[in-house]
Structures are given as C-alpha cells and as structure tokens.
Amino acid sequence: MELRQLCAPADPGFRLGLDGTARFVHEGYTVSVQVRRATPEDALNYHEYEYDPDEVVMAGAVTLEGTDVGTAWAVANERDAHDMREALERVLREAVDDLRRTVSRLSDRVEETDRKCRAQQP
C-alpha cells in the first residue's frame, strides 16, 4: 500500500506531529491517525498477553461533517518499523471499511424510512 500522508515530506515512512497525530488519504478519504503509548490496561483490552512498554496504540478515524463515521485501531511495537507500517496500513484500511459499512447502514435506514412514509401517505 502506498502511504499518502498530508502535510508531510515525501519519504518512504510516515511522520507524526508533536501531538502524536498524522493525516493520510486512503481510497479518497482523509483518515486522521492518533498514536499514543500503550498502557497496561490497553494490554488487557486489546490482547491477552503481557504488557510491553514498547507498544503503542494507533487509532484512526474518518470524519464527515464533524462526525466520526469510520474508526479502527491497532497495537504495534514502536521499535519495529515493519510492525508500525503494517499497523498503520491496517488502521487506514479498516477505518475506510468501517466508513463504508456505516454509510451503507445509514442508506438502508433512510430507504426504509422513506418507504414507510410513502406507504402512510394517501
């Protein structure tokens, strides 16, 4: 997967801002990514093995009209560049997939509501 980061120098990796954030374009959508150090509680929530102080939690969100409509997360070892890139790719892919599922569910609900309203009209 080619990483297309917004507002960053062109290099083979990716760079986070001082606040641990970055923005990427994936399949035409802007995905905001936040990376933070994992906590022992994260180890319990995200996987069932021992806490590793080198792990980070990477969360991504696609926001449309001020609402997060696609989200995803992954855990990666910050000392392993390959693991970090795989986690980022997974977050980008899954956030856009979640967006599509959300939009599809909303579209189905709108159609259903529209059918019910039409059926009630004389």
Side-chain angles (χ1 to χ4, degrees):
M1 168 190 298
E2 178 186 349
L3 296 179
R4 290 186 44 216
Q5 185 172 357
L6 298 176
C7 303
D11 64 22
F14 63 93
R15 297 189 184 178
L16 300 174
L18 294 175
D19 58 354
T21 62
R23 293 177 355 145
F24 296 85
V25 174
H26 181 66
E27 297 183 12
Y29 295 99
T30 300
V31 182
S32 299
V33 176
Q34 171 78 45
V35 179
R36 65 172 175 78
R37 181 142 328 274
T39 65
E41 293 78 25
D42 291 326
L44 296 173
N45 293 331
Y46 296 137
H47 46 74
E48 303 205 0
Y49 52 89
E50 195 172 309
Y51 167 69
D52 180 348
D54 292 331
E55 286 185 335
V56 293
V57 175
M58 198 176 290
V62 179
T63 304
L64 298 176
E65 300 298 323
T67 303
D68 289 350
V69 291
T71 59
W73 62 270
V75 176
N77 185 312
E78 71 174 344
R79 295 186 183 270
D80 183 342
H82 182 71
D83 191 36
M84 289 287 288
R85 183 177 176 97
E86 281 184 345
L88 176 61
E89 289 177 357
R90 187 170 54 252
V91 165
L92 297 177
R93 206 173 27 254
E94 290 178 5
V96 170
D97 288 348
D98 189 40
L99 159 83
R100 290 190 173 120
R101 284 189 300 273
T102 300
V103 168
S104 178
R105 282 192 312 267
L106 290 172
S107 179
D108 290 346
R109 286 184 185 171
V110 167
E111 287 179 19
E112 181 182 327
T113 302
D114 191 44
R115 277 193 302 275
K116 287 179 181 178
C117 286
R118 287 184 182 174
Q120 293 175 354
Q121 293 178 353

